[in-house]
Amino acid sequence: MTFYHKIIKFSYHFTWFSKIYYSLTMNLSKNLPQCPVKTYSSFIQIRNALKSGNLYEHDNIADVIKDYLIHPRVIQCRLNSEKNFGDCDDHAIYWCTAIKKSKLAKKVWFSFFTMTGRGTDDSINSHAVCVFLGYDDKYYWCDYKNPNLLDKPSNFQVKSANLYGCEALCGAMWEIHTIKDDDTPIFGKITRVLPEDDIIL
């Protein structure tokens, strides 16, 4: 592990700053047209609404701001119009909000991690997903398609990184404490997780 990798892992002690920033950008986006988030009876319905990730769009405001979180109600309006709406963190926050609002799981976490390429590939990338505890007392993660089973919560980053041929360095999970009447997800407890952690949430 390089010194740079160690710095990245250390930085995950401070994701509270990202939580403030994401909450701010999410609330600022409420000035855009918005629609109430739908309630769903199954995870497949959510996947179908998101077109299995085919509505992906990179964050970009005037080539200046390239990382922000869109409010779920704004996402819903774009879904209703079948417009592209956002990147991985926007998909993840919609999954989290829809699952929580639809009461499809016991607990839900907005989760993200940093990964590095294998071998001589030293590229660094980050990705966001939704992690949840089902009513079957099993953990799952999802980003664009159907939820995938986890043997332990921290493995969301390993499973996802493997799909990109990468290795997970470190991740964080923000519990979605509640959903306000205007469909704003409220972030609660922050949990920093390493790929090898064995945690119970």
Side-chain angles (χ1 to χ4, degrees):
M1 181 179 298
T2 68
F3 178 72
Y4 182 47
H5 291 165
K6 292 179 180 178
I7 292 295
I8 291 174
K9 292 175 74 171
F10 179 74
S11 71
Y12 270 78
H13 287 287
F14 303 97
T15 64
W16 55 267
F17 177 80
S18 298
K19 186 168 78 167
I20 294 172
Y21 173 74
Y22 268 1
S23 296
L24 175 62
T25 59
M26 185 169 53
N27 279 283
L28 286 175
S29 74
K30 285 200 298 183
N31 295 323
L32 300 172
Q34 53 178 294
C35 310
V37 173
K38 293 181 178 179
T39 55
Y40 299 90
S41 60
S42 71
F43 301 111
I44 292 176
Q45 288 183 343
I46 302 174
R47 180 206 67 188
N48 290 343
L50 294 173
K51 306 294 183 184
S52 299
N54 289 324
L55 298 178
Y56 183 99
E57 182 175 70
H58 290 288
D59 289 340
N60 189 2
I61 298 179
D63 286 325
V64 177
I65 303 176
K66 298 187 178 183
D67 186 28
Y68 50 85
L69 196 58
I70 302 172
H71 193 278
R73 284 199 168 189
V74 176
I75 294 173
Q76 186 66 63
C77 269
R78 296 179 183 177
L79 291 177
N80 293 349
S81 303
E82 296 191 355
K83 295 179 179 178
N84 291 354
F85 69 86
D87 61 6
C88 62
D89 48 23
D90 301 310
H91 281 76
I93 199 61
Y94 187 85
W95 268 106
C96 291
T97 304
I99 289 174
K100 186 79 172 178
K101 181 176 182 178
S102 304
K103 298 180 173 60
L104 292 176
K106 287 184 177 181
K107 291 185 176 183
V108 183
W109 294 266
F110 178 81
S111 307
F112 55 95
F113 67 99
T114 298
M115 54 187 161
T116 182
R118 291 194 173 106
T120 58
D121 180 6
D122 59 355
S123 60
I124 298 292
N125 293 285
S126 295
H127 188 47
V129 304
C130 169
V131 176
F132 64 88
L133 175 64
Y135 288 108
D136 57 1
D137 290 321
K138 295 179 181 179
Y139 292 94
Y140 298 84
W141 74 276
C142 51
D143 51 6
Y144 306 119
K145 299 183 179 180
N146 287 335
N148 300 278
L149 184 65
L150 292 169
D151 55 353
K152 57 182 181 180
S154 61
N155 256 5
F156 77 86
Q157 55 194 307
V158 177
K159 298 288 187 180
S160 182
N162 284 344
L163 294 179
Y164 296 95
C166 296
E167 295 181 2
L169 289 175
C170 191
M173 303 172 69
W174 301 345
E175 184 173 1
I176 303 297
H177 182 263
T178 190
I179 304 293
K180 295 175 66 175
D181 290 341
D182 64 357
D183 292 329
T184 300
I186 303 300
F187 298 124
K189 179 182 178 182
I190 296 174
T191 303
R192 174 181 177 269
V193 287
L194 298 173
E196 63 272 15
D197 286 345
D198 189 7
I199 58 174
I200 299 177
L201 296 169

